[in-house]
Amino acid sequence: MTSTVDPISLPQRAASNDPEIDREALANLLVEIARNVDPDYRARLDGVPTADPRMETLRQLLVGREISELSRVAHLLDEPEQLASAVGGVLPSAAARAPHVQLGEALTPAVERAVQRSIQKSPRTLTDILYPVFLPAIRKSIGEKIDQTFQSLNETLRHIFTWHGLKWRFEAWRTGASFSEVVLKHSLVYRVEHVFLINRNSGILIAHVTADNATSEDPQLISSMLSAIQDFVKDSFNEKEQSGLDTIRFGELRLWSEVGPFATLVAVIRGNPPEELHEIVRDVLFRIHDEYSQALEQFDGDSSQLAGIETQLQSCVELKQEDSNQGFPWLVVAAVLLVLIPAGGWFFLSWQSGQRWQAYVSRLSTQPGIIVAEQKVRDGQFYIAGLRDPLAADPQSLLSGTQVDPARVHSQWQFYQSLEPEFVLKRLTASLAPPDSVRLSIVNDRIVAEGEAPDTWIDRARAAARQLEAGGPVFDISKVRDVSPEARAAERWQAYVSRLGTQPGIIVAEQKMRDGQFYIAGLRDPLAADPQALLSGTQVDPARVRSQWQFYQSLEPEFVLKRLTASLAPPDSVRLSIVNDRIVAEGEAPDTWIDRARVAARQLEAGGPVFDFSKVRDVSPEARAAEHWQTYVSRLEAQPGIIVAQQRASGGHFYISGLRDPQAADPQALLSGTGVDPARVHSQWQFYQSLDPKFVVKRLMASLTPPDSVRFSIIKDRIVVVGEAPAAWIDRARVAAQQLAADGLSLEISELRELTPQKLTHLREAIQAVDILFDSGKAVPGPEQLPVLDKLANQLKELAKDARKAGVTAQFMLTGHSDAVGRETANASISAARAETVRALLKKRGVAPESLLVRGAGTFEPAETENSRTGSSANRRVSVTVNFH
């Protein structure tokens, strides 16, 4: 582009030092730029001088870079993908720098439309997102409202009929408030004495505020104990992480806990606080999280960034409600008393009269022979009706001493016969008129007659007993003896027959009485007692006894023994006796007598007692040799690893064969001491492997060659291996156990442990040598212990990792200790708190919490004696014990 315009100059105003550019020249320059950018505008700018070539140079110098950027931006706007990428790169920083109000107004319509479309498209997504957040809060809010309602109802019902209730009802009428509000105002007296703010993750105390005149122990100790209780409940009952212990009550003290995202606020309240106090404490916790959110999230024990937080907590300890001392409305009370005193007097007299009547009715109900069917009180009169036995007490006479006016009592009684034993006894005594030798009494609700009476009275008593069976008590006359002469004679005869029945060798087949004579018949062994001689002392007249006895041989052992002794004539070396109804012969005898005894035994087998002569030894030489041989065979059969298959004696020689384990005893050596000539014994043994556990253990010891740390034992036919061994040896033992299982034997290696690698042993010893020390009365270690904790945490993580590689699980027991200063209960509590604090600090340093166990030992496991110079400080510690599973 060419131009004939003179070179452009931008003159400054000469009359002033103002460096401002001449506006007219600048306008001409801009017009020329417009001509060069868009030639179509040339016709509209008539009268404006055209540009020369120097204008192009000037334009490049002034706006060349801007033109290039405009071209790049135009190209960027034409490409949507590049535009989206560019906007995405600067949008976060732009949103961060933009004013919140303007940014919110700009994004609100778009966000609202996006959320509305998302909810319309998938409402369940929003429900799943909000459910875990809102449900616990809604449940807790509903629970607090229910508690508030029940608290209000409980206090209202408790005071509704008291003097305070009357006073407060008058106050509610006077002030226009509801009665329940006035009741809660006066009855819920409380005071917040302490407020603790505790870090939720580590359990370290952030801040503590105390009300005036309130006392407590070390705040840090209380904070540690609260955290320990929270962790104990969660670990013991598998509670969720976001849940917590809301309320603890101890006497007049209540601990209310409110949990926030990063901290827990615990308020110690004395008295009976209203449920609305939860909202106030929760609002304070929300304000603290709103103002100190970042500092609470990054809290590591340094509270320098939480300045002013105690001011927020101070508002909680100022919360209290005291009972007002307003004047008592004596006028109202006097008016009420004027009305209640006469009414109360009348009511008391009526109640007292009713109580006396009920006492009289109860007294009647307990009287035997009286049944109260109906009783009532009407218009000051008493009415009663029922049944009465003529032998029972007079109801009118029972009124004496009850203070009931007899003139006001109207009774109506119907007579009946009571079946109670005492009344039945009276009627039986009157009707039967028992003789003096008979006594009637009541035993366990039964009427029992005892003594002697004629048969005529017994017949009348028996008829009366049958009549009582229809529903009355039992009338037992079995203990009344008939005293007639015939009955006495029959009783003596039966005693004689019973005596005969107990005699051995006598069998009574028949006995009877007829016309004053006694007849008896049966069987009698000649060796038995004489029946006629047994009549003496029985008071039975022998002249009236007719007996007929048939002789027989009794099979009772004592008679059989007498006959055997007489027939066999045993030598002096044999003794016959009776053992458990068996005849036993013991001793030594020739074989001829033994043969006779064997014949007698066979004869007795037909029905008599057993004749056992197995304990009679044959004294002939052949019998002695056979006896010695059987002793040797029995000795062999009792030996483990030896099985006798066949044995016999022939021609003065002994033959035996069977199976023998190479580990068993030598059969030839067992002949010594048996009295058997070895030259006459011919044996044939086949070797085999016995499954007796003793031999199996010997073979296992020889094949497996166990290390010294392994021990074999036999428990109830089971082979048990215990101890420690390398993994390769354990594998060999497992293979041997599988092989033995096929033979029916059990080799148990479950108690066999693999040898722990040397590295784990050294690391365990190093860890168990570490102690975390504490200052006196403190449950949190000092700053000087932090490097020890860091090193201990690294060692614990390394040991857990190496143990997993070795196939075992490592667990660490943190034991808290205390010195002997102070009370034992406080020492036990602070030792447990110290262990819980170390657990929380190790957990914060990355140690797996499931591998950490805690316990408090108090003063029972001191490291040093308390009278030493360093004893107290060394005992304020937490020690570590490592266990492998």
Side-chain angles (χ1 to χ4, degrees), residues 122-158:
S122 179
R124 185 173 183 82
T125 302
L126 182 63
T127 304
D128 294 340
I129 294 173
L130 297 180
Y131 175 81
V133 179
F134 284 169
L135 184 60
I138 293 172
R139 184 167 58 241
K140 185 173 183 181
S141 177
I142 292 174
E144 291 178 358
K145 290 299 181 183
I146 292 174
D147 291 341
Q148 178 182 348
T149 301
F150 277 105
Q151 186 182 45
S152 174
L153 179 61
N154 181 48
E155 294 296 329
T156 302
L157 292 176
R158 192 160 63 93

Side-chain angles (χ1 to χ4, degrees), residues 483-504:
V483 294
S484 59
E486 293 78 9
R488 289 289 181 88
E491 181 179 347
R492 291 166 182 168
W493 171 250
Q494 290 300 327
Y496 169 67
V497 172
S498 299
R499 187 177 180 184
L500 280 180
T502 60
Q503 290 295 317

Side-chain angles (χ1 to χ4, degrees), residues 541-555:
D541 185 7
R544 298 170 62 189
V545 178
R546 306 289 185 264
S547 58
Q548 186 177 3
W549 301 102
Q550 298 292 331
F551 287 109
Y552 83 111
Q553 281 192 352
S554 175
L555 295 179

Side-chain angles (χ1 to χ4, degrees), residues 113 140 536 558:
R113 288 193 298 269
K140 185 173 183 181
S536 61
E558 52 264 38

